[in-house]
Amino acid sequence: MTPPPDLPAGDAPEPSPDHYFTAQPASAAERRELTVRLAGREVTVEVASGIFSPGRLDLGTQVLLRSVPDLPPASPGPDGATHLLDLGCGWGPVALTMALERPDATVWAVDVNERALDLVRRNATRLGLGNVRVVRPEDVPADVLFAAIWSNPPIRVGKEVLHDMLLHWLPRLEPGTEAYLVVQRNLGADSLMAWLDEHLDDELSVSKLASAKGFRVLEVARAG
Ligand SMILES: C[S@@+](CC[C@H](N)C(=O)[O-])C[C@H]1O[C@@H](n2cnc3c(N)ncnc32)[C@H](O)[C@@H]1O
């Protein structure tokens, strides 16, 4: 059964005929405003059909944002900047939170859905955030390492794509930093944790940070 868009859905089926991870959603973009609380303040953003959770701040994303520790203080990388990553940004709740909390850092908002990318750009501009780089995955320079990765990853793309994606991005944590992933328990959070433990290199360790409302928040830490 397809849940109504205004109910907590986690990474649940979309009411739209498009998958939320379609590069160019075929449905018309029904744009509207949504007022939500991000980084402790009320903000109004733009959302649209054809993307993930357009009707509300997703419950899994809420669990992630409530569970993560503070972002690390700025410790500029080799290029003089601190880079943070929101992997699978959708309309941008995670990237916008990071950018509001760390105006001194560069936040990479990455997605394959062009409509989502357009919305994050507009939302960053609305909120006066000049520190968000909104790009497709292949447009992040290969030498950028991250001081934090936060993600509500696209479980429904299938295991192979999901695994490739995580093996591509998680090793790009700087030494001594962490990634946090929120995954619905009944969509395989525990098996994903076991898989990551087996397949990530020994410098990266996986543990469970939190469990709430049917979601797990997994922590992937790179040794310092
Ligand atoms: C579960 S949604 C989370 C969206 C948003 N972060 C939120 O919390 O509302 C996952 C997102 O990952 C995106 N995605 C799918 N495949 C991807 C890939 N290969 N690389 C980056 N993002 C991808 C989807 O388009 C979708 O927007």
Side-chain angles (χ1 to χ4, degrees):
M1 189 182 91
T2 303
D6 58 345
L7 284 182
D11 191 3
E14 289 288 284
S16 141
D18 299 321
H19 289 299
Y20 62 74
F21 44 86
T22 302
Q24 277 159 355
S27 61
E30 289 158 29
R31 292 177 185 272
R32 69 181 191 84
E33 290 189 338
L34 179 69
T35 298
V36 290
R37 229 179 146 68
L38 299 178
R41 64 198 89 167
E42 202 162 272
V43 297
T44 298
V45 294
E46 201 178 322
V47 293
S49 51
I51 64 158
F52 178 77
S53 194
R56 56 171 283 139
L57 181 58
D58 173 64
L59 184 62
T61 304
Q62 290 181 41
V63 170
L64 174 73
L65 293 175
R66 279 190 208 135
S67 306
V68 286
D70 288 345
L71 287 164
S75 58
D79 62 354
T82 296
H83 298 278
L84 308 172
L85 173 65
D86 171 8
L87 179 56
C89 58
W91 58 259
V94 174
L96 297 171
T97 298
M98 290 174 132
L100 286 163
E101 288 184 352
R102 282 284 178 280
D104 52 340
T106 299
V107 177
W108 294 85
V110 170
D111 208 294
V112 291
N113 182 324
E114 300 282 350
R115 188 174 294 170
L117 295 175
D118 179 50
L119 286 166
V120 193
R121 279 188 201 104
R122 298 163 76 103
N123 288 333
T125 302
R126 253 176 190 251
L127 303 187
L129 296 166
N131 60 331
V132 186
R133 302 277 304 268
V134 183
V135 294
R136 293 174 302 170
E138 59 271 31
D139 296 330
V140 179
D143 58 351
V144 170
L145 297 180
F146 302 101
I149 300 175
W150 291 356
S151 180
N152 181 348
I155 301 299
R156 292 187 187 277
V157 293
K159 275 189 190 162
E160 200 178 329
V161 175
L162 176 71
H163 290 167
D164 284 353
M165 182 176 157
L166 295 175
L167 288 186
H168 174 75
W169 293 102
L170 294 173
R172 294 176 66 173
L173 281 171
E174 285 176 14
T177 65
E178 290 88 29
Y180 296 97
L181 313 173
V182 66
V183 182
Q184 211 167 318
R185 210 177 42 218
N186 63 13
L187 289 181
D190 293 339
S191 59
L192 179 63
M193 185 170 149
W195 189 90
L196 287 170
D197 198 36
E198 191 182 334
H199 290 86
L200 288 171
D201 71 48
D202 291 346
E203 295 293 298
L204 293 162
S205 59
V206 190
S207 57
K208 198 188 315 160
L209 173 77
S211 240
K213 299 181 191 291
F215 292 87
R216 304 256 201 251
V217 178
L218 309 184
E219 177 183 271
V220 178
R222 179 178 277 291

